[in-house]
Structures are given as structure tokens and as C-alpha cells.
Amino acid sequence: MKTHQEENLGRVAAESTLRSLVTQLLNSGTSLEQVAQMMNLSTLEVRRLVRENF
């Protein structure tokens, strides 16, 4: 059974990986709306991930 700290580390790692993928997609010319749809996220969630850098 994982500890609370291990679960948090896993969550942070997953979000970091997702942020990297979203950034790569946006840098390649994919629109924010397309990224949101592909990732099954809201556009607000995508914006939060990239902190409005795009």
C-alpha cells in the first residue's frame, strides 16, 4: 500500500508528464482547443497546465 507522500509524488510526476506533452503539442501548432479535446480536458485545465504561456 502506498503512503500519502508516495501518492502525491505520483500525482506530481503525472501532471509534469502531462504538462510536457501539452506544451509539445501547443509548440507544434496544435490549438489549445484541440489539445483539450485530445486530452479530454477543459480548455481551462489546459491553460492551468501551461500557465497561460500560449
Side-chain angles (χ1 to χ4, degrees):
M1 188 168 183
K2 290 185 178 183
T3 67
H4 183 63
Q5 183 179 10
E6 289 171 327
E7 287 178 4
N8 283 340
L9 288 174
R11 219 174 279 121
V12 168
E15 187 166 312
S16 176
T17 300
L18 181 57
R19 179 176 292 114
S20 177
L21 181 56
V22 166
T23 300
Q24 288 175 26
L25 287 166
L26 292 169
N27 282 336
S28 73
T30 306
S31 74
L32 190 128
E33 290 78 12
Q34 289 171 318
V35 171
Q37 186 176 18
M38 286 190 298
M39 300 293 175
N40 198 30
L41 299 170
S42 71
T43 55
L44 184 62
E45 290 170 310
V46 173
R47 286 186 183 111
R48 182 189 61 80
L49 280 168
V50 296
R51 293 177 175 84
E52 295 286 344
N53 291 334
F54 292 87

